[in-house]
Amino acid sequence: GAVVSQHPSWVICKSGTSVKIECRSLDFQATTMFWYRQFPKQSLMLMATSNEGSKATYEQGVEKDKFLINHASLTLSTLTVTSAHPEDSSFYICSARSGEGATGGEQFFGPGTRLTVL
Amino acid sequence: GEDVEQSLFLSVREGDSSVINCTYTDSSSTYLYWYKQEPGAGLQLLTYIFSNMDMKQDQRLTVLLNKKDKHLSLRIADTQTGDSAIYFCAEIPTTSGTYKYIFGTGTRLKVLA
């Protein structure tokens, strides 16, 4: 149980285009989904927290107009990188929390999406 | 500040025990977690410990918690080459009012055959 998928697993795009990444909780309903960015050999940096049906809460320094997050249902959240530039190239990971489970707070992570902007 | 620190690298021989340490800063965290990240993959939840426990054992994994010193460790017994990965500790400070993780910096474990 507690499987989270991401699609695509990797994407290459041209500078100036937009890219959408999907995050799905496959066997549970996610009350909250999180989007992270990870640079090589570094820890995860939280970008935003999204709750189903409400606007995402962005971390300080993250441009909400550039990284559009939509949490349309209890099993799907999308991250759209708009007008992508080479500096947006990174590994993007989502996670989902159901509020249930052993601790109530644990997050289950997707496999990540590697974005390369040319 | 909210800095969760880990040593960056650890190298052990196959069959030996590995001990990965983590120092966290927020004593309000009710649960502390250990995650494993293999190359190019997401994070896999390994285990967790409740803050009123000193130790938790789960097969080859032993978690020790020293709440006074805010020190958490993960011991992997009989380390195998498949254990080579990056290990992250994480806490959820309850004072934050959210369920946001504070991740450690990550420890890269290399297991030598």
Side-chain angles (χ1 to χ4, degrees):
Chain A
V3 177
V4 176
S5 70
Q6 275 183 248
H7 178 80
S9 55
W10 59 270
V11 57
I12 301 173
C13 69
K14 291 183 178 179
S15 187
T17 60
S18 294
V19 174
K20 180 185 282 188
I21 302 170
E22 291 186 349
C23 178
R24 293 181 186 272
S25 57
L26 298 184
D27 50 2
F28 66 100
Q29 292 188 324
T31 53
T32 309
M33 286 185 169
F34 303 85
W35 285 96
Y36 295 87
R37 185 173 179 177
Q38 186 178 31
F39 292 102
K41 298 184 180 180
Q42 293 190 24
S43 189
L44 280 73
M45 181 192 80
L46 180 64
M47 298 174 67
T49 303
S50 76
N51 294 290
E52 184 262 341
S54 61
K55 289 184 178 179
T57 302
Y58 290 81
E59 294 299 299
Q60 192 172 7
V62 178
E63 298 176 61
K64 61 181 180 181
D65 294 331
K66 180 163 186 65
F67 298 100
L68 300 178
I69 292 171
N70 185 287
H71 194 154
S73 74
L74 285 172
T75 59
L76 173 64
S77 176
T78 60
L79 167 68
T80 301
V81 183
T82 62
S83 187
H85 290 283
E87 58 265 29
D88 299 324
S89 298
S90 192
F91 193 53
Y92 293 87
I93 305 177
C94 74
S95 71
R97 173 187 159 265
S98 69
E100 299 177 4
T103 71
E106 66 262 45
Q107 296 176 27
F108 299 96
F109 287 80
T113 296
R114 183 160 302 283
L115 170 63
T116 300
V117 184
L118 302 176
Chain B
E2 295 180 332
D3 293 330
V4 181
E5 296 184 353
Q6 299 178 235
S7 51
L8 291 180
F9 298 102
L10 176 65
S11 179
V12 300
R13 293 199 178 277
E14 191 174 20
D16 288 349
S17 293
S18 307
V19 179
I20 301 170
N21 295 302
C22 169
T23 301
Y24 62 99
T25 59
D26 197 315
S27 58
S28 74
S29 296
T30 304
Y31 289 98
L32 295 129
Y33 305 85
W34 281 104
Y35 281 87
K36 175 184 180 182
Q37 185 181 31
E38 298 186 12
L43 275 67
Q44 172 194 356
L45 178 63
L46 288 178
T47 188
Y48 62 89
I49 188 167
F50 187 43
S51 60
N52 70 353
M53 298 171 64
D54 297 325
M55 184 183 83
K56 179 181 178 182
Q57 188 157 359
D58 185 359
Q59 299 182 334
R60 292 192 298 124
L61 305 178
T62 303
V63 180
L64 295 179
L65 176 61
N66 181 329
K67 199 172 179 180
K68 175 176 172 290
D69 294 337
K70 298 189 186 71
H71 185 264
L72 180 73
S73 68
L74 174 69
R75 178 177 181 271
I76 306 173
D78 187 25
T79 313
Q80 303 297 306
T81 54
D83 295 324
S84 293
I86 303 175
Y87 291 81
F88 293 97
C89 60
E91 60 172 339
I92 303 176
T94 53
T95 52
S96 71
T98 70
Y99 281 96
K100 295 193 293 186
Y101 276 165
I102 306 296
F103 276 103
T105 47
T107 299
R108 186 178 297 271
L109 173 65
K110 184 173 182 179
V111 182
L112 305 172

